[in-house]
Amino acid sequence: MDRYAALTRELARVCPGLELREQEPLARHTSFRIGGPARLMALPRSAEEAAQAVRAARALDIRPVFLGNGSNILAADEGYEGFLIKTFDGLSTLEERDGIITAGSGTLLSRLANFALERGLTGSEFAHGIPGTVGGAVTMNAGAYGGEIAQILREVVLLDREGELRTLPAAECELSYRHSAFLDGERMLLSARFALATGDPAQIRARMEDLAARRKAKQPLEHPSAGSTFKRPEGHFAAALIEQCGLKGLTVGGAQVSEKHSGFLINRGGATCADMLALIGQVRARVRQETGVELELEVRTLGI
Ligand SMILES: Cc1cc2nc3c(=O)[nH]c(=O)nc-3n(C[C@H](O)[C@H](O)[C@H](O)COP(=O)(O)OP(=O)(O)OC[C@H]3O[C@@H](n4cnc5c(N)ncnc54)[C@H](O)[C@@H]3O)c2cc1C
């Protein structure tokens, strides 16, 4: 019996309610709509189930990979021969007390922002249009329009390598531009606490609507993508560099540099991971050649 069959059997024994899927197509779980099958995927419905999954995997020397809403992931066409634990939407919970919102790691940011709005709390408006979960957003220190997770995060509750519960204050999460201590994939975020300020609901709503309109006008939301493919290089904007190099609309198979926003590489239909990687390679090479700037991937890869 291989390790994944052993893990499936062990999880069925210690955690009979846990939903497990074998050979699950990753294209169904990534916003690029790209990716072959994952060997084994667990979809816990509680922190306890998540902890059982992490502990059982570690006991078999399997390193679990954590998945939120897959909105920043490019997965291999061959898929991923490993164990994934997906938080969306099983670990989706929201509570509020004295302006502090506690959100399960599988909660979508749009839900978090709407929840804050209903309570007249301001600070999370920027997050409303980011299609990720709380866990993915903390990991990426997601941000938009001048806001970022680091500005509102108070602390996180996580499972460490051994599957033990820990609470970590925001100051120890090493948050900087699209970076956190969790990018090494060793710890699973279970929930996060956000400190928000009291605000005027009408103003909060207006800000959210304004940002949504700006996104709709500027971003190719009608095509699958993972948002900005590249990080913002120091002193530049990735989209402007790409455009300056005449790469708008550049196409490889089903993958294309968006005509609407050059920072977005999109799936025009039927794109494979190989198409997307070839396009990424061409864009990086041309930008390096013509401007001397090295574009760094913001998108996380899986199985590549
Ligand atoms: C149309 C579009 C617009 C976007 N706009 C923005 C934007 O304005 N700003 C921005 O910052 N991003 C943007 N993104 C990118 C993406 O939505 C964010 O990076 C988001 O935070 C990813 O969250 P996720 O839940 O989808 O994470 P995933 O893509 O599933 O995972 C991202 C990383 O987080 C890790 N991770 C996820 N959950 C956990 C967990 N519970 N514990 C530990 N690690 C975990 C994963 O292993 C992976 O390394 C956009 C994407 C799209 C498709």
Side-chain angles (χ1 to χ4, degrees):
M1 185 167 38
D2 77 2
R3 287 187 307 159
Y4 298 101
L7 178 58
T8 305
R9 205 164 72 170
E10 177 61 5
L11 284 172
R13 189 181 72 79
V14 298
C15 196
L18 177 65
E19 182 179 351
L20 288 174
R21 296 190 197 165
E22 285 179 37
Q23 303 298 345
E24 177 69 7
L26 284 165
R28 283 192 202 149
H29 299 271
T30 60
S31 57
F32 262 135
R33 300 287 169 249
I34 289 174
R39 177 64 204 269
L40 188 63
M41 182 184 286
L43 297 105
R45 296 241 141 240
S46 65
E48 292 70 33
E49 283 192 350
Q52 298 266 28
V54 169
R55 287 184 200 129
R58 294 290 190 194
L60 287 161
D61 213 19
I62 292 171
R63 186 175 182 270
V65 169
F66 310 115
L67 187 64
N69 198 32
S71 65
N72 203 36
I73 300 233
L74 177 60
D77 295 320
E78 298 72 30
Y80 179 64
E81 185 61 19
F83 179 45
L84 287 170
I85 303 180
K86 179 167 174 169
T87 62
F88 175 69
D89 64 341
L91 302 188
S92 186
T93 52
L94 283 163
E95 283 166 33
E96 185 260 333
R97 213 169 133 182
D98 301 331
I100 306 284
I101 293 181
T102 304
S105 59
T107 310
L108 287 180
L109 294 178
S110 53
R111 281 198 59 215
L112 169 72
N114 281 326
F115 185 80
L117 164 65
E118 283 160 20
R119 279 151 189 82
L121 293 171
T122 181
S124 60
E125 296 90 322
F126 77 89
H128 183 248
I130 303 176
T133 61
V134 162
V138 171
T139 302
M140 298 307 302
N141 185 22
Y145 302 108
E148 63 175 8
I149 291 293
Q151 296 165 357
I152 55 172
L153 186 69
R154 174 169 277 207
E155 63 185 19
V156 295
V157 175
L158 55 82
L159 290 167
D160 68 11
R161 224 184 156 278
E162 282 69 44
E164 298 301 323
L165 272 182
R166 304 259 179 258
T167 299
L168 204 65
E172 290 175 33
C173 293
E174 298 171 24
L175 298 172
S176 59
Y177 173 66
R178 301 299 174 267
H179 178 274
S180 77
F182 311 112
L183 281 170
D184 65 6
E186 289 295 318
R187 292 168 284 185
M188 178 177 189
L189 293 158
L190 289 178
S191 61
R193 285 199 184 96
F194 299 101
L196 301 178
T198 304
D200 170 15
Q203 280 182 17
I204 297 169
R205 187 187 299 280
R207 170 94 178 131
M208 276 160 54
E209 284 173 358
D210 172 45
L211 296 185
R214 286 206 242 169
R215 264 184 200 276
K216 205 167 162 224
K218 291 262 165 65
Q219 301 182 357
L221 302 180
E222 59 283 12
H223 292 293
S225 78
S228 299
T229 311
F230 304 101
K231 288 188 184 175
R232 195 175 58 228
E234 190 89 31
H236 301 273
F237 289 102
L241 291 172
I242 293 168
E243 210 160 310
Q244 183 188 322
C245 295
L247 301 174
K248 200 175 216 179
L250 183 70
T251 303
V252 177
Q256 187 180 57
V257 176
S258 165
E259 305 261 7
K260 196 168 176 186
H261 187 314
S262 307
F264 280 52
L265 270 50
I266 58 172
N267 178 354
R268 290 272 312 178
T272 61
C273 181
D275 292 341
M276 201 53 80
L277 288 174
L279 185 62
I280 288 169
Q282 289 187 22
V283 168
R284 292 183 75 185
R286 281 282 291 281
V287 169
R288 185 187 310 120
Q289 232 169 34
E290 293 189 23
T291 71
V293 178
E294 192 66 51
L295 289 179
E296 200 188 321
L297 270 189
E298 177 173 323
V299 167
R300 313 279 297 159
T301 58
L302 181 61
I304 294 162

